Amino acid sequence: MSFSSKVKNEVAKLMDENKCCQIAELSALIKMNGTIRILGKNNIGIKLTTENAAIARKIFSLIKSNFDFNTKVAMIKNKQLKKNYSYTLHVDSNTASEDILRKLMIVSEKDNVPRINNRIPSSIIKNTCCKRAYLRGVFLGGGSISDPEKTYHLEIVTNNETYANDIKKLINSFGLNSKIVLRKGNYVVYLKEGENIVDFLNIIGAHSALLNLENVRIYKEMRNNVNRLVNCETANLNKTVNAAMRQIKNIEYIKEHMGLDKLPKNLREIAEIRLQHQEASLKELGEMLDPVVGKSGVNHRLRKLDELAEDLRRKTQ
């Protein structure tokens, strides 16, 4: 099961006690999942289709909990390709369909003609709890989230630009930074940063998924830190090895063209020790001297030898 499906299964099991939140969530679910047919006044039908059984059960429960009329809601399970199943819910009463759509403010009437409302009704999301519920419904109806092991990406897809902008504003009202991109004729509201996605999961109540994502983020951050340390240590080691090879090459040049016995005592000592202990660090070289010399002192002497070797090369050219 994908991470996205796990998140949806988790939040689909949540049922708000407040009726206002149930209405908000159902409004978003029908808006995202539903097909509405408007054939004339008092002739409206609703069809909802989803491949997730938990979402289908939730829609069924929300309709039954909030609408008290004798309307048959049939759930039809159709076998699809690759052994997948889709779940279809029909509200087969025109009066019931109209009642649901008007109460959820998905349909309004203008000039005695029912029209689909492409905005998120402000009266449905007055309270913060209702805003959270609405976003939960939006995610269940048209959202997806990538596997955090691979990348951080959450998106909600709709075919209406006005509605996409309202979803974006609603998400960002919680201090997040969602954006919109047009993809294949659809408007995609998306979040990229891992921290924003964690906050969104918290908003819709996906706490188990949130903890799993946070664990992945911590593990990836630790792994990246380890890689950075290894790369840094490797770079330092390469730098040390290259410096040692240069020093040895310069000392051997001085030995061949001038002789080490002509060097000042302090430079002769460090030159001889460097040739004898080619893999030693600056600290180790300093500890071999009598008296002991610190890293900066050793480095200073080796730099003097480098300069002397360069002078000799210029004179012999």
Short mmCIF file of all heavy atoms in Angstrom, two decimals, residues 251 254-255 258-276 289 301-302 304-305 308:
data_model
loop_
_atom_site.label_atom_id
_atom_site.label_comp_id
_atom_site.label_asym_id
_atom_site.label_seq_id
_atom_site.Cartn_x
_atom_site.Cartn_y
_atom_site.Cartn_z
N ILE A 251 61.34 18.64 -0.71
CA ILE A 251 62.51 18.31 0.13
C ILE A 251 63.51 17.49 -0.67
O ILE A 251 64.73 17.71 -0.58
CB ILE A 251 62.07 17.56 1.41
CG1 ILE A 251 61.24 18.50 2.32
CG2 ILE A 251 63.28 17.01 2.16
CD1 ILE A 251 60.56 17.80 3.47
N ILE A 254 65.38 19.79 -2.94
CA ILE A 254 66.40 20.53 -2.19
C ILE A 254 67.60 19.63 -1.90
O ILE A 254 68.78 20.04 -2.05
CB ILE A 254 65.82 21.08 -0.87
CG1 ILE A 254 64.74 22.14 -1.16
CG2 ILE A 254 66.91 21.67 0.01
CD1 ILE A 254 63.94 22.55 0.07
N LYS A 255 67.34 18.40 -1.52
CA LYS A 255 68.40 17.43 -1.19
C LYS A 255 69.29 17.18 -2.40
O LYS A 255 70.53 17.11 -2.29
CB LYS A 255 67.76 16.13 -0.70
CG LYS A 255 68.77 15.08 -0.27
CD LYS A 255 68.04 13.84 0.23
CE LYS A 255 69.03 12.77 0.68
NZ LYS A 255 68.33 11.55 1.19
N MET A 258 70.86 21.00 -3.57
CA MET A 258 71.57 21.86 -2.61
C MET A 258 72.16 21.06 -1.46
O MET A 258 73.25 21.36 -0.96
CB MET A 258 70.61 22.93 -2.06
CG MET A 258 71.31 24.00 -1.22
SD MET A 258 70.13 25.24 -0.61
CE MET A 258 69.61 24.42 0.90
N GLY A 259 71.44 20.02 -1.06
CA GLY A 259 71.86 19.22 0.08
C GLY A 259 71.20 19.71 1.35
O GLY A 259 71.14 20.90 1.62
N LEU A 260 70.72 18.77 2.15
CA LEU A 260 70.01 19.12 3.39
C LEU A 260 70.95 19.66 4.45
O LEU A 260 70.53 20.40 5.34
CB LEU A 260 69.25 17.89 3.94
CG LEU A 260 68.15 17.31 3.04
CD1 LEU A 260 67.45 16.14 3.76
CD2 LEU A 260 67.13 18.35 2.63
N ASP A 261 72.27 19.30 4.33
CA ASP A 261 73.20 19.74 5.36
C ASP A 261 73.44 21.24 5.32
O ASP A 261 73.98 21.82 6.27
CB ASP A 261 74.53 18.99 5.20
CG ASP A 261 75.11 19.18 3.81
OD1 ASP A 261 74.33 19.28 2.83
OD2 ASP A 261 76.35 19.21 3.70
N LYS A 262 73.07 21.89 4.21
CA LYS A 262 73.25 23.33 4.09
C LYS A 262 72.05 24.12 4.66
O LYS A 262 72.07 25.35 4.67
CB LYS A 262 73.47 23.72 2.63
CG LYS A 262 74.79 23.18 2.08
CD LYS A 262 75.01 23.63 0.65
CE LYS A 262 76.34 23.07 0.11
NZ LYS A 262 76.57 23.48 -1.28
N LEU A 263 71.01 23.40 5.07
CA LEU A 263 69.81 24.05 5.62
C LEU A 263 70.05 24.47 7.06
O LEU A 263 70.85 23.83 7.78
CB LEU A 263 68.61 23.09 5.58
CG LEU A 263 68.06 22.73 4.20
CD1 LEU A 263 67.02 21.62 4.35
CD2 LEU A 263 67.46 23.95 3.52
N PRO A 264 69.33 25.49 7.54
CA PRO A 264 69.36 25.81 8.97
C PRO A 264 68.90 24.61 9.76
O PRO A 264 68.13 23.77 9.28
CB PRO A 264 68.39 26.99 9.10
CG PRO A 264 68.31 27.58 7.73
CD PRO A 264 68.50 26.44 6.77
N LYS A 265 69.36 24.50 11.01
CA LYS A 265 69.08 23.32 11.83
C LYS A 265 67.58 23.01 11.91
O LYS A 265 67.17 21.84 11.77
CB LYS A 265 69.65 23.53 13.24
CG LYS A 265 69.41 22.32 14.15
CD LYS A 265 69.97 22.57 15.55
CE LYS A 265 69.68 21.37 16.45
NZ LYS A 265 70.15 21.59 17.84
N ASN A 266 66.76 24.03 12.15
CA ASN A 266 65.32 23.77 12.32
C ASN A 266 64.68 23.24 11.05
O ASN A 266 63.82 22.35 11.09
CB ASN A 266 64.59 25.03 12.81
CG ASN A 266 64.68 26.18 11.81
OD1 ASN A 266 65.58 26.22 10.97
ND2 ASN A 266 63.77 27.14 11.92
N LEU A 267 65.14 23.75 9.88
CA LEU A 267 64.58 23.27 8.61
C LEU A 267 65.15 21.89 8.27
O LEU A 267 64.43 21.03 7.71
CB LEU A 267 64.89 24.26 7.49
CG LEU A 267 64.24 25.65 7.60
CD1 LEU A 267 64.55 26.49 6.37
CD2 LEU A 267 62.74 25.56 7.82
N ARG A 268 66.43 21.66 8.56
CA ARG A 268 67.02 20.36 8.28
C ARG A 268 66.34 19.25 9.08
O ARG A 268 66.06 18.16 8.56
CB ARG A 268 68.53 20.39 8.60
CG ARG A 268 69.23 19.08 8.19
CD ARG A 268 70.72 19.12 8.46
NE ARG A 268 70.99 19.10 9.91
CZ ARG A 268 71.45 20.13 10.59
NH1 ARG A 268 71.69 21.31 9.98
NH2 ARG A 268 71.71 20.05 11.88
N GLU A 269 66.04 19.54 10.35
CA GLU A 269 65.39 18.53 11.21
C GLU A 269 64.02 18.15 10.68
O GLU A 269 63.68 16.96 10.58
CB GLU A 269 65.28 19.07 12.64
CG GLU A 269 66.59 19.13 13.38
CD GLU A 269 66.44 19.73 14.78
OE1 GLU A 269 65.40 20.38 15.04
OE2 GLU A 269 67.35 19.53 15.61
N ILE A 270 63.22 19.16 10.34
CA ILE A 270 61.86 18.85 9.87
C ILE A 270 61.89 18.17 8.50
O ILE A 270 61.07 17.30 8.20
CB ILE A 270 60.97 20.13 9.84
CG1 ILE A 270 59.49 19.73 9.70
CG2 ILE A 270 61.36 21.07 8.71
CD1 ILE A 270 58.94 18.98 10.87
N ALA A 271 62.88 18.54 7.66
CA ALA A 271 63.01 17.92 6.34
C ALA A 271 63.35 16.44 6.49
O ALA A 271 62.78 15.57 5.81
CB ALA A 271 64.08 18.65 5.52
N GLU A 272 64.27 16.11 7.36
CA GLU A 272 64.68 14.71 7.55
C GLU A 272 63.55 13.87 8.13
O GLU A 272 63.32 12.73 7.72
CB GLU A 272 65.93 14.66 8.45
CG GLU A 272 67.17 15.23 7.78
CD GLU A 272 68.35 15.34 8.74
OE1 GLU A 272 68.11 15.23 9.97
OE2 GLU A 272 69.49 15.53 8.27
N ILE A 273 62.86 14.47 9.12
CA ILE A 273 61.75 13.72 9.73
C ILE A 273 60.62 13.51 8.73
O ILE A 273 60.01 12.44 8.69
CB ILE A 273 61.24 14.48 10.99
CG1 ILE A 273 62.29 14.38 12.10
CG2 ILE A 273 59.92 13.90 11.46
CD1 ILE A 273 61.95 15.18 13.34
N ARG A 274 60.34 14.52 7.89
CA ARG A 274 59.28 14.37 6.89
C ARG A 274 59.62 13.26 5.90
O ARG A 274 58.75 12.46 5.54
CB ARG A 274 59.06 15.70 6.17
CG ARG A 274 58.16 15.61 4.93
CD ARG A 274 56.89 14.81 5.20
NE ARG A 274 55.75 15.62 5.63
CZ ARG A 274 54.63 15.10 6.14
NH1 ARG A 274 54.53 13.79 6.32
NH2 ARG A 274 53.64 15.87 6.49
N LEU A 275 60.89 13.17 5.49
CA LEU A 275 61.29 12.10 4.57
C LEU A 275 61.19 10.72 5.22
O LEU A 275 60.84 9.74 4.57
CB LEU A 275 62.72 12.34 4.08
CG LEU A 275 62.92 13.53 3.11
CD1 LEU A 275 64.39 13.69 2.77
CD2 LEU A 275 62.09 13.35 1.84
N GLN A 276 61.49 10.65 6.52
CA GLN A 276 61.45 9.37 7.24
C GLN A 276 60.02 8.94 7.56
O GLN A 276 59.73 7.74 7.64
CB GLN A 276 62.26 9.47 8.53
CG GLN A 276 63.75 9.68 8.32
CD GLN A 276 64.47 10.04 9.60
OE1 GLN A 276 63.89 10.00 10.69
NE2 GLN A 276 65.75 10.42 9.49
N LEU A 289 59.98 16.17 17.11
CA LEU A 289 61.07 17.14 17.24
C LEU A 289 61.46 17.32 18.71
O LEU A 289 60.66 17.05 19.61
CB LEU A 289 60.64 18.49 16.65
CG LEU A 289 60.38 18.51 15.13
CD1 LEU A 289 59.75 19.84 14.73
CD2 LEU A 289 61.67 18.26 14.37
N ARG A 301 57.60 25.79 9.02
CA ARG A 301 58.90 25.30 8.55
C ARG A 301 58.76 24.61 7.19
O ARG A 301 59.61 24.78 6.30
CB ARG A 301 59.48 24.33 9.57
CG ARG A 301 59.82 24.98 10.90
CD ARG A 301 60.47 23.99 11.87
NE ARG A 301 60.66 24.59 13.19
CZ ARG A 301 61.30 24.01 14.19
NH1 ARG A 301 61.84 22.80 14.01
NH2 ARG A 301 61.41 24.61 15.36
N LEU A 302 57.69 23.84 7.03
CA LEU A 302 57.49 23.15 5.76
C LEU A 302 57.19 24.14 4.63
O LEU A 302 57.61 23.92 3.49
CB LEU A 302 56.33 22.15 5.89
CG LEU A 302 56.64 20.92 6.76
CD1 LEU A 302 55.38 20.11 7.01
CD2 LEU A 302 57.71 20.04 6.10
N LYS A 304 58.48 27.13 4.50
CA LYS A 304 59.80 27.68 4.18
C LYS A 304 60.55 26.77 3.21
O LYS A 304 61.23 27.23 2.28
CB LYS A 304 60.62 27.84 5.46
CG LYS A 304 60.18 28.99 6.35
CD LYS A 304 60.55 30.34 5.74
CE LYS A 304 60.26 31.48 6.70
NZ LYS A 304 60.61 32.80 6.06
N LEU A 305 60.43 25.47 3.43
CA LEU A 305 61.08 24.50 2.53
C LEU A 305 60.45 24.56 1.14
O LEU A 305 61.16 24.45 0.12
CB LEU A 305 60.97 23.10 3.11
CG LEU A 305 61.81 22.82 4.38
CD1 LEU A 305 61.46 21.47 4.97
CD2 LEU A 305 63.31 22.90 4.07
N LEU A 308 61.80 27.58 -0.57
CA LEU A 308 63.19 27.38 -0.94
C LEU A 308 63.29 26.51 -2.20
O LEU A 308 64.11 26.79 -3.10
CB LEU A 308 63.95 26.72 0.22
CG LEU A 308 65.43 26.40 -0.02
CD1 LEU A 308 66.22 27.67 -0.41
CD2 LEU A 308 66.04 25.76 1.23
#
